[in-house]
Amino acid sequence: MVRVRKIEIVSCLLLQIVVAATAANVTYDHRALVIDGKRKILISGSIHYPRSTPEMWPDLIQKSKDGGLDVIETYVFWNGHEPHKNKYNFEGRYDLVKFVKLVAKAGLYVHLRIGPYACAEWNYGGFPVWLHFIPGIKFRTDNEPFKAEMQRFTAKIVDLMKQEKLYASQGGPIILSQIENEYGNVDSSYGAAGKSYMKWSASMALSLDTGVPWNMCQQGDAPDPIINTCNGFYCDQFTPNSNNKPKMWTENWSGWFLGFGDPTPYRPVEDLAFAVAIFYQRSGTFQNYYMYHGGTNFERTSGGPLISTSYDYDAPIDEYGLVRQPKWGHLRDLHKAIKLCEDALLATDPTVTSLGSNLVASEYKTSSGLCAAFLANIGTESDATVTFNGNSYHLPAWSISILPDCKNVAFNTAKINAATESTTFARQALKPNADSSEELGSQWSYIKEPIGISKADAFVKPGLLEQINTTADESDYLWYSLRMDIKGDETFLDEGSKAVLHVQSIGQVVYAFINGKLAGSGNGKQKISLDIPINLVTGKNTIDLLSVTVGLANYGAFFDLFGAGITGPVTLKSAKSGSSIDLSSQQWTYQVGLKGEDTNLGSGDSSEWVSKSPLPTMQPLVWYKTTFDAPSGSDPVAIDFTGTGKGIAWVNGQSIGRYWPTSIARNNGCTDLCNYRGSYSSNKCLKNCGKPSQTLYHVPRSWIKPSGNTLVLLEEMGGDPTKISFATKQTGSSLCLTVSQSHPAPVDSWASDSKILNRTSPVLSLKCPVSTHVITSINFASFGTPTGTCGSFSHGRCNSPRSLSIVRKACVGSRSCKVEVSTRVFGDPCRSLAKSLAVEASCS
Ligand code: GAL
């Protein structure tokens, strides 16, 4: 213990020393942010600190740095920091100061988006729900109670950052802060009060005197000196609202978020790189990947409705913290190429010339001899060969070539030099506690959650209550319960006391129980309409409706008022006669949350766990508990919830979020190989149609002990917990890459003074990602006209017979290898054809 503390103290001191660097003066001009008098080309990436753990942060930040980032951008999450009014939380995943200091320690800058409205697919857009209950409050408009709270929290964060000397003006890493978020997208809905609120936000922020610039994103009329910035899949066409402001892009969506019930979006890296390159080509100087690491919506932090627990986002670093290849590597190469152009880019404005239809050259050339150029083919159909400064260049459709010396190509967005690395989930049985002699599967104990009202604080109200107003989002769950006496001769009854229960809800899930038995359920984003055939009995009956939220809305004008829950009508009707009775305005009994939530069953501590068999399965509302040993090794861990229905899970008392493997993605709109050419949109490239949206749920390693861990599930729908398993995510047992003769030489063959080194042929280079691994076999190699992708390569008609032996000789037994892609090395198997080298290798 003492040793650990010493290390902590030392590392704290170290952090302080690093942060106590000299103050920097951050300003801007029409080209760029200016730090200590020098314009900067900055490449930024979003990492939201509560979407990973403090234990993961150093590695995520290092991988960001290695990927060529200069800046980490994050929102500040008000509801995480102030879950109850005036009760602050800056601990654990919410240790903002630690996060910012770690970024500083890595030598990177921070863009702090204080908001405090975040959006971000985060519960209620980041607003604490208690805010909603302040009398007279109206969110995001010229409303005194709201402005008072917004100012108080914004000032609190600025003061905290100042105290810790985290602004660049104090020697810290924060070079930019954001106020509000995309308000310009919705402000017209707020009328004149919206405009005055926006202006107030700006001057309130400026009054806090951070010593560094502020930005507003998607706010075309952001008042001076606030920089208005762009968000979107492309921002090359954006111009700031003043000639004195630089062109900045605060959200370049690297993929898109996943919703329960939706297929999984992905964004091809060729298109992402194209978007970035054309932005810098067209004079942009700051660009941020949203997200660079998306992470996980632990606990009940996901926004809504129906945002999944995974916030992977197809980002360059995946949910689990592993680099996603070739995305990460191709962007790293892009960043190097852009940085090779930095001096020229910042020294002057470009000369733009057309090289043909959809073909544009931008040359940044100074009298002092600096020169960098970008050649763009923005056509979506055909490759082109262009002549620029007397030289000829091959430009694939929808691609940009970067020429740091105006002559040699360092990078083309459509020609990938980074290998694809496979990642796999290795299944591991849920290993029972080693101390126990019992068999796997009999390890589970359970507690049944009562159906209907069971808590003393239940209350009666006439009519159907809106859910968020009733629960204050203290829980996902709200019971609406009704007792009914049935005589048997009611007109809404059919023969045998049958009827149809009609329930209307605005979301997101409803379970209907009749006399303690589940009769039906449904779910939806905004509207659920259920017609459930039921059987009543003569005498007393109970109708218990359990309404469940899955993330509160986070986007749109007045999203805070969208509401949730059973809004009605709730009726009983005869299937035959059409006669019905409206129950909506009856005296309903309400219970906020579940009994097991009140007694904190998620912690696992309770004397009530029942371990005698049989284990009840496929029944709604059962709490389950088991113990397990950590999956071996140090790879990231996931739980595969296949076999269960829907609920919330806890590992050692920490909520890993909502699980819902039975939420199936719609069965259309997916493409395995999405054409990256042409404008991307969030539904252009989808996978996983017809399959569960999310079966695997991240359990951070630091939450697991070597043995004796507790896993608790609240299964609301009905499932079999003995079916769940662990998986560890492994990276890089196979590597694949295709490099053509027209690929640029690796960007590493450029010296930092933007001079190309001697070797200019394309090179296929491979490296096992795990440092202790070597390339053990070459499963495929062909120099010629190979086709296919990783796992399905095949020879074309043209193939150098020496391909395999040459690549084997160069690679097997080493961790990394480089093979020149040329006829000098492989001979020429087909003279007139353009050739490439495709390789698939295994590492272990
Ligand atoms: C933007 C918003 C972000 C995030 C993104 C979608 O409109 O500013 O916070 O919600 O959309 O991922």
Side-chain angles (χ1 to χ4, degrees):
M1 280 310 273
V2 177
R3 250 188 56 201
V4 173
R5 285 215 35 218
K6 248 193 198 159
I7 291 170
E8 272 175 7
I9 292 165
V10 171
S11 65
C12 265
L13 282 176
L14 266 178
L15 284 181
Q16 274 168 15
I17 292 164
V18 175
V19 169
T22 48
N25 182 21
V26 186
T27 56
Y28 61 81
D29 64 14
H30 82 288
R31 286 292 287 129
L33 286 182
V34 177
I35 303 180
D36 281 338
K38 258 197 97 191
R39 286 180 182 163
K40 292 276 183 185
I41 291 283
L42 293 170
I43 295 165
S44 172
S46 290
I47 300 178
H48 295 157
Y49 50 97
R51 286 179 155 142
S52 54
T53 58
E55 290 78 6
M56 292 169 72
W57 295 342
D59 183 55
L60 296 174
I61 294 165
Q62 187 59 44
K63 283 172 173 155
S64 307
K65 185 177 185 178
D66 295 344
L69 299 194
D70 307 297
V71 184
I72 302 294
E73 179 178 285
T74 182
Y75 285 119
V76 174
F77 296 90
W78 188 356
N79 54 6
H81 290 302
E82 198 178 355
H84 302 283
K85 190 167 178 179
N86 291 321
K87 298 222 164 59
Y88 293 102
N89 173 20
F90 288 95
E91 305 289 311
R93 289 185 294 119
Y94 290 95
D95 194 341
L96 173 61
V97 167
K98 182 175 194 170
F99 181 76
V100 172
K101 287 185 176 176
L102 284 167
V103 176
K105 190 181 172 196
L108 303 183
Y109 296 122
V110 170
H111 175 203
L112 196 67
R113 307 175 84 193
I114 303 178
Y117 165 63
C119 192
E121 290 70 68
W122 191 261
N123 198 49
Y124 220 38
F127 285 135
V129 177
W130 54 257
L131 211 56
H132 171 66
F133 295 95
I134 292 177
I137 201 160
K138 286 192 180 126
F139 286 18
R140 300 180 81 198
T141 189
D142 198 349
N143 166 275
E144 294 307 324
F146 178 77
K147 290 190 302 185
E149 290 301 323
M150 172 165 165
Q151 176 159 12
R152 185 180 57 77
F153 182 73
T154 307
K156 164 104 192 162
I157 295 299
V158 168
D159 287 347
L160 178 63
M161 297 297 108
K162 280 188 187 170
Q163 260 168 37
E164 300 283 342
K165 303 219 180 325
L166 294 176
Y167 283 102
S169 48
Q170 305 171 292
I174 305 172
I175 53 168
L176 182 69
S177 317
Q178 178 177 302
I179 192 74
E180 250 294 343
N181 186 75
E182 293 193 333
Y183 190 63
N185 288 2
V186 295
D187 61 5
S188 61
S189 309
Y190 295 83
K195 282 292 162 224
S196 48
Y197 161 69
M198 187 277 292
K199 289 191 187 129
W200 169 85
S201 304
S203 55
M204 185 273 284
L206 293 169
S207 75
L208 297 175
D209 210 6
T210 60
V212 300
W214 286 90
N215 80 292
M216 283 179 149
C217 60
Q218 295 291 95
Q219 191 74 54
D221 52 359
D224 296 346
I226 295 194
I227 307 169
N228 67 307
T229 63
C230 180
N231 293 347
F233 289 113
Y234 307 91
C235 279
D236 53 293
Q237 304 289 350
F238 169 78
T239 36
N241 64 13
S242 143
N243 296 336
N244 305 322
K245 295 177 187 175
K247 175 167 169 174
M248 295 176 63
W249 187 3
T250 32
E251 290 183 24
N252 173 7
W253 301 317
S254 54
W256 197 243
F257 57 86
L258 173 67
F260 284 121
D262 293 336
T264 309
Y266 63 98
R267 185 173 185 191
V269 68
E270 294 93 330
D271 171 60
L272 183 56
F274 172 86
V276 174
I278 199 162
F279 178 74
Y280 287 95
Q281 168 164 13
R282 294 192 163 141
S283 308
T285 49
F286 178 108
Q287 180 279 144
N288 173 73
Y289 296 101
Y290 186 101
M291 302 295 297
Y292 197 73
H293 170 255
T296 310
N297 295 316
F298 298 113
E299 305 173 280
R300 302 193 303 116
T301 59
S302 65
L306 299 183
I307 302 292
S308 62
T309 300
S310 169
Y311 198 64
D312 179 83
Y313 222 92
D314 197 32
I317 304 178
D318 75 11
E319 175 177 9
Y320 295 84
L322 304 175
V323 294
R324 171 172 274 120
Q325 295 285 38
K327 203 168 210 174
W328 182 89
H330 191 50
L331 296 175
R332 177 203 51 201
D333 292 349
L334 166 64
H335 305 152
K336 283 187 185 164
I338 292 169
K339 284 300 171 77
L340 288 170
C341 305
E342 178 164 14
D343 290 344
L345 286 177
L346 293 176
T348 178
D349 294 322
T351 308
V352 180
T353 38
S354 167
L355 304 177
S357 149
N358 287 325
L359 302 166
V360 187
S362 308
E363 191 175 38
Y364 292 80
K365 189 173 187 173
T366 68
S367 49
S368 62
L370 289 172
C371 193
F374 288 66
L375 308 181
N377 181 353
I378 53 180
T380 57
E381 303 295 331
S382 11
D383 295 3
T385 300
V386 298
T387 305
F388 173 69
N389 286 348
N391 296 309
S392 163
Y393 299 89
H394 171 244
L395 288 180
W398 203 253
S399 83
I400 316 279
S401 283
I402 300 178
L403 289 56
D405 57 0
C406 284
K407 183 165 177 235
N408 295 289
V409 177
F411 184 87
N412 175 278
T413 56
K415 295 176 180 176
I416 300 178
N417 273 328
T420 300
E421 291 170 8
S422 63
T423 52
T424 46
F425 279 99
R427 304 278 142 182
Q428 308 218 11
L430 187 70
K431 264 196 248 133
N433 200 346
D435 308 339
S436 164
S437 57
E438 283 175 74
E439 286 301 307
L440 178 69
S442 56
Q443 291 291 307
W444 289 88
S445 51
Y446 69 93
I447 295 173
K448 289 193 178 182
E449 174 69 27
I451 306 295
I453 306 300
S454 62
K455 286 169 47 177
D457 58 2
F459 58 92
V460 178
K461 276 271 158 75
L464 295 164
L465 300 182
E466 191 282 321
Q467 186 154 349
I468 301 167
N469 282 327
T470 313
T471 63
D473 198 38
E474 293 292 334
S475 166
D476 281 359
Y477 301 98
L478 178 63
W479 282 107
Y480 296 69
S481 176
L482 199 64
R483 282 174 185 277
M484 255 188 114
D485 272 325
I486 292 288
K487 289 196 250 90
D489 60 356
E490 286 83 350
T491 55
F492 57 84
L493 287 182
D494 294 326
E495 223 166 287
S497 293
K498 286 187 198 316
V500 173
L501 172 68
H502 174 76
V503 180
Q504 248 170 264
S505 162
I506 51 171
Q508 286 74 50
V509 185
V510 182
Y511 302 94
F513 296 85
I514 302 297
N515 297 326
K517 292 262 167 317
L518 183 63
S521 66
N523 67 75
K525 264 193 186 133
Q526 269 130 28
K527 189 168 184 240
I528 308 170
S529 183
L530 298 178
D531 282 295
I532 306 168
I534 60 168
N535 287 313
L536 294 169
V537 294
T538 314
K540 292 207 181 317
N541 290 269
T542 54
I543 299 176
D544 295 303
L545 305 176
L546 180 61
S547 177
V548 188
T549 50
V550 186
L552 304 192
N554 56 269
Y555 182 74
F558 307 108
F559 73 84
D560 52 305
L561 304 176
F562 290 177
I566 298 167
T567 45
V570 175
T571 62
L572 282 175
K573 57 188 182 188
S574 151
K576 296 197 177 121
S577 71
S579 159
S580 71
I581 172 180
D582 193 337
L583 306 175
S584 311
S585 50
Q586 301 254 326
Q587 297 283 326
W588 290 83
T589 306
Y590 290 91
Q591 175 181 307
V592 173
L594 304 180
K595 194 171 170 217
E597 290 182 294
D598 275 17
T599 55
N600 197 13
L601 290 185
S603 70
D605 310 328
S606 164
S607 54
E608 287 169 35
W609 292 102
V610 183
S611 27
K612 65 174 194 291
S613 54
L615 184 73
T617 61
M618 309 315 287
Q619 293 180 24
L621 292 173
V622 186
W623 294 80
Y624 294 105
K625 175 178 132 162
T626 192
T627 53
F628 65 95
D629 291 348
S632 54
S634 57
D635 292 326
V637 178
I639 297 182
D640 184 339
F641 277 97
T642 305
T644 63
K646 175 185 184 295
I648 305 183
W650 292 260
V651 169
N652 295 328
Q654 302 252 26
S655 168
I656 61 168
R658 301 182 182 96
Y659 67 85
W660 195 357
T662 52
S663 177
I664 308 296
R666 64 164 190 274
N667 207 0
N668 58 57
C670 282
T671 41
D672 270 347
L673 271 183
C674 184
N675 181 3
Y676 66 82
R677 296 169 196 86
S679 269
Y680 183 78
S681 64
S682 61
N683 57 13
K684 181 179 174 185
C685 305
L686 301 171
K687 58 186 183 189
N688 215 30
C689 280
K691 300 199 183 118
S693 293
Q694 190 184 351
T695 55
L696 292 158
Y697 295 78
H698 184 204
V699 186
R701 269 278 172 192
S702 61
W703 292 359
I704 316 177
K705 308 173 275 184
S707 65
N709 299 285
T710 309
L711 170 64
V712 174
L713 324 184
L714 161 60
E715 172 55 51
E716 58 183 62
M717 198 173 248
D720 183 352
T722 67
K723 297 245 158 66
I724 75 178
S725 59
F726 275 106
T728 52
K729 193 165 193 190
Q730 266 104 31
T731 187
S733 60
S734 99
L735 301 175
C736 295
L737 182 57
T738 305
V739 173
S740 74
Q741 284 179 301
S742 70
H743 268 53
V747 69
D748 291 329
S749 45
W750 289 71
S752 52
D753 62 356
S754 304
K755 299 263 160 22
I756 191 165
L757 304 175
N758 288 340
R759 194 153 112 182
T760 52
S761 323
V763 169
L764 182 141
S765 100
L766 297 175
K767 183 174 186 181
C768 298
V770 180
S771 62
T772 52
H773 284 181
V774 295
I775 296 170
T776 47
S777 65
I778 301 297
N779 311 325
F780 180 88
S782 168
F783 178 75
T785 55
T787 56
T789 54
C790 206
S792 68
F793 280 130
S794 59
H795 295 238
R797 271 218 231 121
C798 163
N799 172 43
S800 159
R802 286 189 264 159
S803 306
L804 199 57
S805 63
I806 289 171
V807 176
R808 274 194 180 135
K809 191 156 168 252
C811 297
V812 172
S814 314
R815 182 180 173 202
S816 65
C817 60
K818 290 187 180 357
V819 185
E820 192 182 297
V821 181
S822 70
T823 50
R824 195 181 66 78
V825 174
F826 288 96
D828 197 344
C830 44
R831 274 183 195 280
S832 55
L833 292 180
K835 289 163 282 287
S836 49
L837 172 64
V839 175
E840 183 179 328
S842 294
C843 293
S844 64

